[in-house]
Amino acid sequence: MPRTVRQCIVDALEELGEDDFRSFKANLRELKTMQGFRNIPWGKLEKADKLNTAKLMVDYYREGNAGEIAKQILRDGSQQDTADALAKELQMASQTSARCPDLTQASQTSARCPDLTQASQTSARCPDLTQEKNPVDKYFTRIVQGFNSVDSVLDELLAAGVLTGEHYGTIRAKATKQERMRELLTIIRGQGSEAKTKLWEAMVEADPYFTKNLTSE
């Protein structure tokens, strides 16, 4: 299986000592992002370990940018050898992916649920939407009433490009969590099944306990 950008970044970060890793995250925090992207919230980045830092980079900047950003921060931090090794890893991963299009161009559902051996996790993240309603539709009222991690989900969807800045501002302007969640659901449901699936994935990550209980009843 081809190595992912996230795995390449993790390997590079594993070469850093604790002080260098803290410096890497500090520099990542100050990164000037490209238009359409936003910095990783410091609340998430500050306590993130190396694995989660790499995941956050891919989530917020996408694979096409995360590797380049990691290389630049390493070079700026006088970690030239590590940056060069990362560049080689990324190049090899890209070449391998080119030889294996069936693995890198899988369906969106497969990309979101790669570990098909973990049936319970796969079921929670990617229910069979061909057989039943998307959980965003099915549990609309209960989500509005009971889901509390709205702000975290908003950040994720904005970073992923699912929400526009205008949508984000409109939702955040609502006075209560229930009002923000209702507005978010209304906007996402108007964007189609892919947007609803991305919302559900963000909800599972933000509050796996709530979403698991919701779908298991």
Side-chain angles (χ1 to χ4, degrees), residues 82-118:
T82 305
D84 290 344
L86 174 58
K88 292 179 181 178
E89 287 286 328
L90 291 170
Q91 184 177 13
M92 291 175 60
S94 176
Q95 292 173 348
T96 304
S97 296
R99 292 194 296 269
C100 304
D102 57 320
L103 295 179
T104 59
Q105 299 178 6
S107 66
Q108 292 178 350
T109 301
S110 296
R112 289 189 291 267
C113 304
D115 190 354
L116 299 181
T117 64
Q118 298 180 2

Side-chain angles (χ1 to χ4, degrees), residues 7-201:
Q7 290 170 329
C8 294
I9 295 174
V10 170
D11 287 348
L13 295 180
E14 290 292 349
E15 296 297 320
L16 303 182
E18 289 303 314
D19 289 341
D20 288 332
F21 179 53
R22 281 194 293 270
S23 177
F24 179 94
K25 291 198 293 184
N27 290 333
L28 181 58
R29 180 189 185 187
E30 301 299 326
L31 178 71
K32 292 183 179 179
T33 56
M34 298 173 290
Q35 184 175 1
F37 295 88
R38 62 189 297 272
N39 282 355
I40 301 170
W42 184 240
K44 292 186 175 184
L45 186 59
E46 182 179 16
K47 296 182 179 180
D49 59 15
K50 294 172 181 178
L51 179 63
N52 285 327
T53 296
K55 181 180 184 300
L56 286 169
M57 291 181 70
V58 172
D59 288 346
Y60 274 78
Y61 307 129
R62 301 180 184 173
E63 285 201 347
N65 302 312
E68 295 301 317
I69 290 171
K71 286 191 296 181
Q72 186 60 50
I73 293 176
L74 289 169
R75 291 193 175 107
D76 291 346
S78 301
Q79 300 289 334
Q80 186 64 47
D81 290 345
T82 305
D84 290 344
L86 174 58
K88 292 179 181 178
E89 287 286 328
L90 291 170
Q91 184 177 13
M92 291 175 60
S94 176
Q95 292 173 348
T96 304
S97 296
R99 292 194 296 269
C100 304
D102 57 320
L103 295 179
T104 59
Q105 299 178 6
S107 66
Q108 292 178 350
T109 301
S110 296
R112 289 189 291 267
C113 304
D115 190 354
L116 299 181
T117 64
Q118 298 180 2
S120 61
Q121 294 180 9
T122 303
S123 177
R125 288 186 177 273
C126 301
D128 187 356
L129 302 184
T130 64
Q131 300 297 323
E132 59 179 325
K133 284 185 178 180
N134 188 293
V136 169
D137 295 318
K138 186 175 182 179
Y139 304 110
F140 180 93
T141 300
R142 294 174 61 187
I143 291 171
V144 170
Q145 294 174 347
F147 188 78
N148 292 318
S149 303
V150 186
D151 293 341
S152 176
V153 168
L154 285 175
D155 289 343
E156 292 289 344
L157 295 179
L158 179 64
V162 179
L163 290 178
T164 65
E166 182 179 356
H167 285 152
Y168 184 86
T170 298
I171 297 168
R172 289 300 298 267
K174 299 297 182 181
T176 67
K177 288 182 179 179
Q178 287 78 14
E179 290 175 341
R180 291 197 292 274
M181 196 69 224
R182 183 179 292 107
E183 184 70 16
L184 172 60
L185 288 170
T186 300
I187 290 172
I188 292 298
R189 291 172 81 192
Q191 294 180 355
S193 60
E194 183 176 356
K196 287 188 287 188
T197 300
K198 287 184 179 295
L199 168 59
W200 181 251
E201 291 172 349

